[in-house]
Amino acid sequence: MSSPYPLSILDLSPIAEGSDAAQSFRNSLSLAQHGESWGYQRYWLAEHHGMPGIASAATSVLIGHIAGGTKSIRVGAGGIMLPNHSPLVIAEQFGTLESLYPGRIDLGLGRAPGSDQRTARALRRNLSSDADEFPQDVAELMDYLSEDSQQAVRAVPGHGLKVPIWILGSSLFGAQLAAAMGLPYAFASHFAPQQMMQAIEIYRATFRPSAQLDKPYVMLGFNVFAADTDDEAYYLASSAQQAFINLRSGRPAKLPLPVHGFLQKIGPQEHALLEQVLSCSALGAPDTIAEKMQAFINYTGADELMITAQIHNHTARLHSYEIAAQVSKNLRPKTAAI
């Protein structure tokens, strides 16, 4: 009997309207524990700052909380925005996590600030930095974690721990870097799908094997809003739809309550936005979810999907992830013809 298609969880520890960060953290741990029991491969948290509806700003701290409350699921960052940090500090943080939870920690790295410029200044970033520094910072961080580091300073803990590194991206830059460094690649298709297929093609075509990885490995972000009926799934998805419109309109807020018939209440510009940013999504009952997920796998040849579900009600959110896990038992991998 074949194994279920590999699924993982991406969590922003959303702060729902009417709730707070403390409840978000309890919900995140609950989701991780349920996800572990349902067979999810990994549970990643993303670094964002200054966002009223996202509680995962102190990403490394929260990873430790989740890893401490679970037993076997891999826990990591999807990702750490490296321009916000010194590579040494991240090596020490993830060296600490790997020492506490050996063999269970992932480190995904991105080059976006995860914030606006005002928040970036508050993070004490050097705003004159450019994209060319990101590859150097990744190499420096990897060196700190290697057994034969060439740095003048040693990462303690961190030295020799070889925490698996992933490159994250929503453009062609990350694909090129991941391929050149021989690292697994995670594409943010769940909110920025425009260059997805081109990025996958570049990554696979130019991949160079490394000590960490001998062949390309692509994980794609994918939104799943699953429920017992299609109508209920569309109702639950309206929270995320409202959140995207609010964010792109310069009004970031807590995750809104769902609204019945939301898509019938918005204009053509909002429809176009949602069709663009949420094109890599499955909404519906289990059979609908299975069909849409399999079609996406067939189209992209993804080695793994990282599921995100911005659903206001925690019980409904758990049920959505449970349905996705059940569906994965019948999904079939497919190598993309590109």
Side-chain angles (χ1 to χ4, degrees):
M1 183 176 180
S2 61
S3 299
Y5 181 87
L7 298 183
S8 293
I9 295 172
L10 176 63
D11 187 16
L12 305 182
S13 200
I15 305 175
E17 186 177 319
S19 188
D20 57 20
Q23 184 60 51
S24 296
F25 298 146
R26 289 190 286 270
N27 291 346
S28 287
L29 180 57
S30 169
L31 175 58
Q33 291 169 337
H34 280 87
E36 182 173 72
S37 71
W38 293 328
Y40 281 89
Q41 303 290 308
R42 61 191 92 241
Y43 183 99
W44 280 8
L45 292 145
E47 178 187 349
H48 291 272
H49 299 280
M51 304 290 287
I54 297 176
S56 55
T59 315
S60 300
V61 177
L62 194 51
I63 288 170
H65 174 63
I66 299 299
T70 52
K71 297 178 180 178
S72 59
I73 193 169
R74 297 193 66 87
V75 186
I80 291 293
M81 301 298 107
L82 197 53
N84 295 338
H85 311 278
S86 125
L88 175 60
V89 168
I90 298 305
E92 291 171 341
Q93 290 178 359
F94 279 79
T96 299
L97 290 166
E98 177 65 23
S99 298
L100 289 168
Y101 311 105
R104 295 182 54 207
I105 301 299
D106 293 331
L107 175 51
L109 300 172
R111 67 180 181 128
S115 61
D116 57 29
Q117 285 206 344
R118 288 183 301 177
T119 309
R121 289 190 183 94
L123 288 165
R124 303 297 188 268
R125 288 183 62 237
N126 176 6
L127 296 183
S128 66
S129 63
D130 59 42
D132 290 338
E133 295 183 12
F134 180 66
Q136 297 166 10
D137 288 344
V138 173
E140 181 181 341
L141 173 54
M142 292 177 65
D143 190 63
Y144 280 126
L145 295 171
S146 71
E147 291 180 341
D148 55 350
S149 174
Q150 303 301 304
Q151 304 298 321
V153 177
R154 177 168 290 197
V156 181
H159 176 76
L161 292 184
K162 300 179 182 177
V163 178
I165 302 291
W166 292 66
I167 298 297
L168 314 184
S170 58
S171 68
L172 306 185
F173 183 94
Q176 293 165 341
L177 179 62
M181 301 187 81
L183 297 174
Y185 181 51
F187 189 87
S189 37
H190 59 293
F191 75 90
Q194 292 85 345
Q195 293 184 295
M196 176 184 68
M197 292 307 295
Q198 189 178 0
I200 294 172
E201 181 177 4
I202 288 172
Y203 171 68
R204 289 183 173 139
T206 61
F207 181 85
R208 301 174 184 172
S210 69
Q212 179 175 326
L213 192 65
D214 62 354
K215 61 182 180 179
Y217 193 91
V218 175
M219 179 163 62
L220 300 179
F222 193 73
N223 301 286
V224 172
F225 303 95
D228 294 331
T229 67
D230 286 357
D231 286 345
E232 177 69 9
Y234 275 85
Y235 170 65
L236 297 175
S238 67
S239 292
Q241 292 163 351
Q242 292 175 77
F244 269 110
I245 291 173
N246 289 340
L247 180 63
R248 294 298 175 93
S249 302
R251 307 187 309 270
K254 291 185 176 182
L255 186 65
L257 287 160
V259 175
H260 285 289
F262 176 70
L263 294 179
Q264 286 72 52
K265 300 176 182 179
I266 60 176
Q269 288 185 324
E270 289 83 2
H271 271 287
L273 170 65
L274 294 178
E275 287 177 2
Q276 180 186 66
V277 301
L278 296 179
S279 63
C280 297
S281 303
L283 290 74
D287 287 348
T288 307
I289 296 296
E291 180 181 348
K292 291 182 177 179
M293 289 179 69
Q294 186 64 64
F296 185 71
I297 294 166
N298 291 346
Y299 177 59
T300 62
D303 298 294
E304 185 174 337
L305 295 186
M306 179 154 272
I307 304 301
T308 183
Q310 295 286 81
I311 293 174
H312 186 278
N313 180 273
H314 180 58
T315 301
R317 190 177 188 221
L318 290 178
H319 189 43
S320 180
Y321 275 105
E322 182 180 18
I323 290 172
Q326 292 169 345
V327 162
S328 75
K329 297 175 183 178
N330 296 315
L331 295 176
R332 300 177 307 280
K334 180 179 175 67
T335 301
I338 63 172

